Amino acid sequence: MASSATGYDRIWEAAASACRTLFLEGTGTGTLTPVAGGAGDVAEECTALLTLTEPGHPARPAADLCTADAESLLNTMLRKYPESSLPELLAARLFEALASRGCVAGGAADDDESRFLLQEAAALLRFPAALADRMPDLRPALTAFLRGKAAFSGDPATLAAELAARDPFAGGRAFHYHNGRFYPIELDTIRPVDQFYGFTGMRKLFQTHFRDFARGKPPVPLLIYSLPGHGKTQLTIAHVLAHDNLTLITADEEVLSHQLPDLIAALKQRPDRRFAVFFDDLEPDRVDWYDFRTQVGGAFTPPDHILLALASNYEFPPSILSRGCSIHFPTFDDVRCQEMVEDFLFSVGFRHTNRNLVSLIATGYTEDFGQKCFSELSPRTLVRYLGKYNNPVRRRDAVRIACGQVIPRPDSQLFYEFNIRLMRRLYGNEYIEELRRDRLRELE
């Protein structure tokens, strides 16, 4: 590195030092490489730009920094990031790099290490404008890309707050991961955890698992399996949102198969947060489980601030079930239907069980199904049906009818036939035949 008295030389030297500190790590072979999962492409491009514009480089006279290679790199970056500028790109990546070191997570700089790292960040943020001054012959678009619109403070505390504003997880509780980025999502239709009914054992497992994770206990992956409509998605998301210190990340099956290490590496850089990563509607036979087996119980272990939750309408392979906590919902039938109705009545103020009222409401639900008001018999459609009994007048009328002499009962055969049809459609005839053989063996 050349030493010089000019202003640009000093800024370049400080920026190069900051880049090594914040963006690069040793490879064990005497070279430096961008930190995986943290700075990404911008770190590589910034490192290359610093190399190409080094003052006093033997191949680049100090008076001629506007080399073809540097300008070509800037053109490439401008095409790649047409809606941004180099200072803004650096600010976003600097936030990630600092957060991974426990700095600026809360927008504070109250210790020597944080102040040092923030001073390094300020040095790197001064570089693009200095380069624009030193390369006056650049076309206007490239000059604008170097200068940007935001001016960042050199004061550590103020800079910490400015960088924290670039937090991709700020202002939200739920995000979707796609193509290496996190996109905010709205979850207005998720019910609170106290508005789920029945399946007491399953709900207790959810409550315990997410409560322990929120309190800092190292997590075990959650593997959730049931027929459609049993509440896998709603329960998972509701229990994440029930804890203020948890952030939900949803991702598609393709990410689980081919990008899981990248996702974990990105979240690993944010130990200031606790993430519940949810893969929903999986078809286990289509998933490439290599990365999951490697990252969970294999060569690696996810950081303690990352919980993986997987949900499917199909059973998971035994080699996957052995790596997590399995939650298998029992089949929804007339008994569980009435349990859900009973829980609902308790939630709206009934202190004692009224079996006639429970039976009346459950039968009304099955009759609506028979009238094609619902396409399935499931907890999902039952909750929708129970919504009409949020009306106190309707509940009062139902209580009056339940005092009559003859009270109908829900048809257990209706549930059985629906579940058999559903399982045959999902799993095929061989699965049904195996169930029948198991039932016969139980009767022997």
Side-chain angles (χ1 to χ4, degrees):
M1 181 184 302
S3 177
S4 171
T6 68
Y8 173 79
D9 293 357
R10 288 193 296 271
I11 292 174
W12 184 94
E13 290 175 359
S17 174
C19 187
R20 288 192 294 270
T21 300
L22 297 169
F23 283 167
L24 306 181
E25 62 183 2
T27 62
T29 60
T31 60
L32 296 173
T33 185
V35 177
D41 292 344
V42 172
E44 298 178 21
E45 292 154 350
C46 183
T47 303
L49 189 61
L50 282 163
T51 300
L52 292 171
T53 59
E54 178 181 356
H57 191 287
R60 300 172 186 86
D64 183 21
L65 295 178
C66 188
T67 65
D69 288 343
E71 189 167 357
S72 176
L73 175 57
L74 288 171
N75 276 308
T76 299
M77 295 177 70
L78 180 61
R79 288 192 296 269
K80 187 175 180 180
Y81 313 108
E83 303 299 325
S84 189
S85 66
L86 185 54
E88 288 290 336
L89 292 169
L90 285 176
R93 299 315 185 272
L94 283 168
F95 175 83
E96 297 171 3
L98 292 167
S100 70
R101 292 163 170 81
C103 178
V104 307
D110 54 2
D111 61 83
D112 290 341
E113 179 67 11
S114 293
R115 282 190 287 271
F116 168 76
L117 293 174
L118 285 163
Q119 287 168 356
E120 292 289 276
L124 191 54
L125 288 168
R126 283 193 291 270
F127 169 68
L131 182 60
D133 291 338
R134 192 62 183 267
M135 300 172 69
D137 295 330
L138 288 176
R139 64 189 180 97
L142 293 183
T143 300
F145 177 73
L146 283 173
R147 293 190 181 281
K149 296 180 180 179
F152 294 95
S153 172
D155 173 66
T158 304
L159 179 60
E162 293 171 345
L163 293 180
R166 271 73 183 168
D167 183 359
F169 300 118
R173 296 286 313 281
F175 301 83
H176 182 70
Y177 179 79
H178 181 69
N179 287 339
R181 296 184 61 186
F182 297 94
Y183 298 90
I185 54 177
E186 297 293 334
L187 298 171
D188 296 335
T189 60
I190 302 300
R191 286 175 281 143
V193 293
D194 60 356
Q195 292 183 18
F196 289 84
Y197 314 116
F199 296 98
T200 305
M202 304 298 103
R203 288 159 50 205
K204 184 65 175 178
L205 286 172
F206 274 92
Q207 179 186 20
T208 302
H209 207 85
F210 284 98
R211 181 197 62 205
D212 290 348
F213 176 57
R215 291 177 177 177
K217 182 177 179 180
V220 175
L222 201 57
L223 305 166
I224 313 158
Y225 154 65
S226 77
L227 290 174
H230 279 52
K232 302 181 293 294
T233 302
Q234 286 267 336
L235 269 170
T236 302
I237 296 176
H239 278 86
V240 175
L241 299 181
H243 300 279
D244 291 339
N245 66 328
L246 300 187
T247 299
L248 175 72
I249 305 294
T250 65
D252 298 329
E253 191 174 280
E254 178 68 16
V255 174
L256 180 62
S257 293
H258 303 296
Q259 302 168 31
L260 184 60
D262 295 334
L263 172 56
I264 291 178
L267 298 179
K268 187 177 181 180
Q269 306 302 313
R270 297 300 305 275
D272 57 302
R273 287 178 174 258
R274 301 187 72 76
F275 297 98
V277 181
F278 184 37
F279 298 95
D280 197 12
D281 288 328
L282 297 174
E283 294 189 32
D285 289 344
R286 298 195 322 181
V287 175
D288 182 345
W289 292 104
Y290 175 79
D291 283 340
F292 182 84
R293 293 196 305 268
T294 301
Q295 296 289 327
V296 180
F300 305 98
T301 301
D304 288 348
H305 66 284
I306 300 174
L307 165 66
L308 301 179
L310 286 63
S312 176
N313 296 328
Y314 304 86
E315 293 186 67
F316 291 97
S319 61
I320 301 304
L321 287 173
S322 64
R323 298 167 189 266
C325 173
S326 175
I327 296 183
H328 183 185
F329 281 79
T331 304
F332 183 64
D333 57 16
D334 59 308
V335 175
R336 295 187 176 91
C337 174
Q338 292 179 81
E339 289 175 350
M340 287 186 63
V341 173
E342 186 175 347
D343 274 2
F344 167 76
L345 291 175
F346 278 126
S347 75
V348 294
F350 285 76
R351 296 184 178 181
H352 304 287
T353 300
N354 184 325
R355 300 309 309 170
N356 286 347
L357 179 59
V358 169
S359 180
L360 179 71
I361 294 176
T363 302
Y365 165 66
T366 58
E367 289 174 349
D368 272 18
F369 172 76
Q371 295 297 319
K372 309 298 183 183
C373 296
F374 305 113
S375 61
E376 63 182 18
L377 289 170
S378 71
R380 174 167 49 204
T381 56
L382 177 57
V383 168
R384 195 185 315 159
Y385 175 81
L386 291 174
K388 67 171 65 177
Y389 288 97
N390 286 323
N391 185 326
V393 175
R394 188 180 290 271
R395 289 200 301 271
R396 187 165 55 247
D397 291 343
V399 170
R400 179 177 52 80
I401 297 172
C403 294
Q405 295 292 325
V406 179
I407 302 300
R409 306 292 178 190
D411 185 0
S412 61
Q413 186 66 21
L414 184 67
F415 286 88
Y416 175 78
E417 291 175 355
F418 174 81
N419 287 325
I420 288 294
R421 288 197 304 271
L422 179 58
M423 287 187 285
R424 180 177 284 115
R425 188 166 69 246
L426 285 173
Y427 312 134
N429 289 325
E430 291 184 3
Y431 182 86
I432 303 301
E433 291 303 318
E434 183 63 29
L435 284 179
R436 288 174 175 166
R437 287 193 292 269
D438 291 343
R439 181 66 60 86
L440 288 173
R441 283 193 291 268
E442 291 175 0
L443 297 175
E444 291 177 354

